[in-house]
Amino acid sequence: MGSIYKRGEVYWIKYYRAGKPYRESSHSEKESEAKRLLKLREGHIAEGKFLGLKVERIRFEELAEDVVNDYKVNAKRSLRRIRQCLNHLLDYFEGIRAVEITTDRVRAYILQRQEEGAANGTINRELTALKRAFNLATQLTPPKVTHIPYIPHLQEDNARTGFFEHHEYLTLKSFLPSYLMPVVITGYNTGGMRKEEILSLQWPQVNLIEGKITLMPQDTKNKESRGIFMEGELLETLRFQKVLRDSKHPACPFVFFNEKGERIGSFKKAWDTACRKAGLEGRIFHDLRRTAVRNMVRNMVRAGVPERVARWYQGTRQGASLSVTTSLMRMI
């Protein structure tokens, strides 16, 4: 049986679990608040939900750190993105105890991010990171939280459908810095390579004699290997990259590198500048991938591939690559 007593002007409660006494402040000068807290604790003990007061002191930044560690342990390629999401969450929830993060507070976070101009898709990625933090906390032994608040999911109406017409692509190239041009050429000519797959590409994955790029499971987002055949502009560009690497930066393992012979990181500023000068503001790098898939589907139809097969291919857009197109064309 629990009890209530005062320390100064504040009411405290005392209760037992498995014979061990627990003392806890109600942080209130009202006896009714202490009674409410005591009843809550006794209910949790009876239901087996009380895990000790340490759980009550866990703050959000500890949950965020656990998410980062989980991504590191599992060598997840999206570590940089999850850190970006967590940084936004920490701006709002840092210093707040996990038990105090309720659905109302999550909704307040959503409103703040929307006022800051964040798109619903961006906010959803952040809410997914928040949910992941709570799910991991419940899986630990002992768990760090006893409940997961309801975290809403926003409707995403901001799906992009941008494409580059060929003349726009040529104009964009003319305004790009020289080190970035091969990256854009690769994005435009391969429908199956994501930006990070392009930037992390190394020479052992490239066969200039066969004209083929090989992506192993550890190199791809969906952990599936893919082969991408090269021809024309793309093949010539990579041949030139090899000559440039061998002559200027022989120690660089990456196919694409900056002026210092280092792996290219974020190039958003250079991309936005080139798009603005080309009159293509608002375009994103992923539009190149969509364009490549669309162009390959058009080529498939022109080469005689049945339109229904081409439409299926465009609908899946998984592993979209020249290898699939080439294989289909060879069958007709």
Side-chain angles (χ1 to χ4, degrees), residues 186 189-190 193 201 203 205-214 227-239 255-256 321-323 326 330:
T186 304
N189 286 279
T190 63
M193 292 190 72
L201 190 67
W203 286 112
Q205 300 170 259
V206 178
N207 189 323
L208 294 175
I209 297 176
E210 294 184 3
K212 183 180 179 182
I213 296 173
T214 301
I228 300 172
F229 289 93
M230 303 178 290
E231 59 184 5
E233 180 187 37
L234 177 58
L235 183 57
E236 290 302 315
T237 296
L238 265 61
R239 284 173 176 166
V255 175
F256 306 102
S321 67
L322 287 173
S323 61
T326 303
R330 287 173 179 170

Side-chain angles (χ1 to χ4, degrees), residues 12-276:
W12 283 62
I13 63 175
K14 181 180 180 181
Y15 49 92
Y16 296 85
R17 186 191 69 164
K20 179 180 178 179
Y22 289 86
R23 297 176 176 83
E24 185 178 354
S25 171
S26 69
H27 304 286
S28 175
E29 297 179 3
K30 296 180 180 180
E31 185 177 8
S32 59
E33 287 297 313
K35 289 181 178 179
R36 183 194 63 78
L37 181 60
L38 179 61
K39 184 176 181 181
L40 178 67
R41 292 287 183 253
E42 289 178 337
H44 285 168
I45 292 171
E47 296 171 3
K49 295 181 180 179
F50 181 73
L51 301 176
L53 295 178
K54 183 179 180 181
V55 172
E56 303 289 325
R57 296 191 289 268
I58 298 293
R59 300 190 182 276
F60 175 72
E61 47 264 41
E62 187 172 333
L63 303 190
E65 184 179 356
D66 289 340
V67 174
V68 172
N69 290 336
D70 177 68
Y71 271 63
K72 288 180 178 178
V73 168
N74 292 288
K76 294 186 177 180
R77 297 170 62 87
S78 52
L79 176 60
R80 184 174 62 87
R81 176 173 291 183
I82 198 68
R83 276 180 165 155
Q84 291 174 343
C85 293
L86 291 172
N87 285 339
H88 285 293
L89 291 166
L90 284 167
D91 287 343
Y92 189 86
F93 291 111
E94 187 171 13
I96 298 178
R97 296 185 299 166
V99 295
E100 296 173 339
I101 298 178
T102 61
T103 301
D104 285 342
R105 275 195 159 163
V106 174
R107 293 187 186 279
Y109 170 79
I110 294 172
L111 288 174
Q112 177 174 301
R113 292 291 288 134
Q114 288 177 331
E115 290 172 359
E116 293 172 350
N120 282 1
T122 300
I123 299 172
N124 279 337
R125 305 296 87 74
E126 296 163 9
L127 296 176
T128 299
L130 178 62
K131 188 177 295 185
R132 179 61 178 164
F134 273 95
N135 285 334
L136 280 176
T138 61
Q139 295 168 12
L140 297 173
T141 306
K144 289 186 176 181
V145 298
T146 57
H147 78 288
I148 299 176
Y150 170 71
I151 299 175
H153 185 86
L154 304 179
Q155 181 177 353
E156 297 185 29
D157 296 323
N158 57 338
R160 294 180 179 266
T161 58
F163 295 96
F164 282 92
E165 297 303 329
H166 189 64
H167 71 276
E168 293 176 332
Y169 161 67
L170 295 177
T171 304
L172 175 65
K173 282 201 305 178
S174 68
F175 290 107
L176 289 168
S178 58
Y179 76 90
L180 198 55
M181 193 180 300
V183 175
V184 172
I185 290 173
T186 304
Y188 182 78
N189 286 279
T190 63
M193 292 190 72
R194 297 175 173 87
K195 181 172 67 174
E196 285 304 313
E197 293 171 349
I198 294 172
L199 296 180
S200 61
L201 190 67
Q202 298 190 29
W203 286 112
Q205 300 170 259
V206 178
N207 189 323
L208 294 175
I209 297 176
E210 294 184 3
K212 183 180 179 182
I213 296 173
T214 301
L215 299 178
M216 302 306 292
Q218 64 269 21
D219 304 318
T220 65
K221 183 178 180 180
N222 58 8
K223 302 300 181 183
E224 294 181 358
S225 60
R226 300 201 304 275
I228 300 172
F229 289 93
M230 303 178 290
E231 59 184 5
E233 180 187 37
L234 177 58
L235 183 57
E236 290 302 315
T237 296
L238 265 61
R239 284 173 176 166
F240 178 79
Q241 281 293 104
K242 184 67 164 61
V243 173
L244 185 64
R245 194 290 300 259
D246 292 346
S247 62
K248 290 190 174 182
H249 309 290
C252 179
F254 296 103
V255 175
F256 306 102
F257 44 85
N258 58 25
E259 297 94 333
K260 297 180 180 179
E262 300 171 342
R263 182 188 187 276
I264 299 173
S266 173
F267 54 83
K268 186 177 186 304
K269 184 176 180 180
W271 170 270
D272 289 344
T273 299
C275 286
R276 185 179 68 254

